[in-house]
Amino acid sequence: MNIILLQKLKEWRREAAQKEGVDLFRILSNSTIENIVGLMPKTKEELLSIKGIKEKKWQKYGKEILAITGGDAADLEPAGSMDDKSEKPLSVSEYLDLLNKKLGECFARIQGEISSFDPRDNVIYFSLKDLADGSLIRCLMWRRDYQLCGVDFVIGDEVILEGTPNVFKPNGGLSFKASSVELVGEGALKKAYDALKARLEKEGIFAVERKRPIPEYPQKIGLITSRDGAVINDFLTNIGNFGFHIKLIDSRVEGQRAVPELLKSIKYFRNKDIDVLIIIRGGGSLESLLPFNNEALIREVINFPKPVICGIGHDKDIPLVAMACDVAVSTPTAVTKILNNSWERALSKTKICERDIINKYQSLLRDKKDRIRESADIIERNFAGIFTSFSEVSSALKEGFLKIGFYIKNAGNALMRIEKILEANNPERQLKLGYSIARLNGRIVSSIEKLSVGETLEIQLSDGLIASKVNSLKKRLYNE
Amino acid sequence: MSKINLNESLKKLNDIVKWFEGQEEVDVEKGLVKVKEGAQLIKASRERLKEVENEFEEIKKDIVEEDDDKDTS
């Protein structure tokens, strides 16, 4: 980027702004200047192709800009100077153009009394008279600007005008083109204030029903105030650290010239994503708070899509904007309290809920524990009998078992004895000793009486059987 | 930081408190579920409510002006 050209343009803008008594951006915005440097326009067409430069800006500054960029106007510029006697004479029109260009630099703030008043469709014609010597200047004002100022001219009113003089080419008459007007004196201001207040009141502008609530947990804040001064510091010092996103537009807040700036600032926020709009300024007299009693501004505020909070200090008369907005307080700190409010409440609500839930669950557990203990008691009481009888039964059983054991032991001894007897009497043992067993037809023969000669006996020895026939029978006599 | 709806969270917390109050016979298990839910909500709310630096931005005058041009053109 051509830095030298950029500096030249900025220097020129600074001078132009000074001459006109306006802010720099009203001459050209930074981005427009940067585009000019980038594009280096040399002709009217090229210059008009740049965003931010339309016919109006071309008329006003086009030639000067081209003179800086080295374009056409470098030659056009001195269309004649007042002390140039050698050149050919200027036409009347050319001269008036030159004059108007020079007059355009004579921005002034003048005070006088309205001595005539002729409102037309788009223009208000009037004249301003010097209170001391009766000098007179004819004036005009666009109706739009006039309405913006919210002043109703009455002949005899003392006013302060801001603007530049201009010669009207068709009749050569000089008029002061006022861009803003304000009433002079507390008395007149108070009268205007009261009249507007009464009218708006009648219209219901201040009605409580119209007020919109401030949303809970606001986060995106549009802020309009003057960057300088204690007000913005108070605001930023006292706003809680809840992650607010604050967008500030630095605006004039004093004097009639504040009105268009405030209006533009509010309009800027209209379609921006904000939760609430804040307008703050320090306290002041009716005169210094003039812009905040401006009807156009009041209407802009009440038609703003989001709630508007005003923190405007004041003496006796509450600024009408404050009366019309959704919430009005009189200090920036009070505004921050409103913004912090729901966040801080949420903090304490969370604490309360936490305490409540824990308490309730604990008491529930305590309750359950008590009931478990109670149940245990009941069980213990009711089953105590069972347990006692159980132990009786069990000792009886034990006793029984012992007895059984004793019996078993005894029985065992008896068996052993029997076994010995049986052992001693085992017939097989007798057989081994040489005894034998005689059987007839499978039955043991113990007497000869059941036998007859010729029958076959089975004789069992220890290791086998003998089949033997009875030859003779002879009864044994014990005395033999 | 996930965005939580503070309002919604506080309402839910309140509902949990009311649930405990409204119950004739509170089931310990169900109660514990509610306590856990409550603890999460409290944690999330705390997270949202803890100190967060504010962001501050100044809108340049020429941007305001251009915006205004757009509106009027």
Side-chain angles (χ1 to χ4, degrees), chain A residues 12 37 62 66 76 89 117 152 212 220 245 281 293 324 350 362 375 377 382 418 425 449 460:
Chain A
W12 160 79
V37 175
L66 291 184
L76 294 173
F117 178 47
D152 280 322
R212 293 163 294 188
K220 292 167 231 153
H245 297 203
R281 71 148 278 169
N293 291 318
T350 310
Q362 273 178 347
S375 306
D377 285 351
N382 288 344
I418 293 164
N425 293 297
E449 306 224 341
Q460 186 183 355

Side-chain angles (χ1 to χ4, degrees), chain A residues 290-315:
Chain A
L290 195 67
F292 298 98
N293 291 318
N294 179 286
E295 186 173 350
L297 193 73
I298 292 165
R299 294 200 183 274
E300 195 65 42
V301 163
I302 61 167
N303 289 319
F304 193 75
K306 298 284 165 54
V308 181
I309 303 177
C310 284
I312 304 170
H314 55 85
D315 292 339

Side-chain angles (χ1 to χ4, degrees), chain A residues 2 30 53 75 77 98 110 129 131 137 153 179 186 194 204 220 242 245 256 276 281 284 314 330 337 369 382 406 411:
Chain A
N2 185 334
N30 282 338
I53 299 184
D75 316 321
E77 182 41 32
L98 182 66
I110 55 175
K129 195 172 80 180
L131 282 172
I137 188 166
F153 281 166
S179 53
E186 282 287 309
D194 287 338
K220 292 167 231 153
F242 293 112
H245 297 203
Q256 196 66 300
V276 60
R281 71 148 278 169
H314 55 85
S330 53
K337 276 189 186 151
K369 210 167 112 191
N382 288 344
F406 178 71

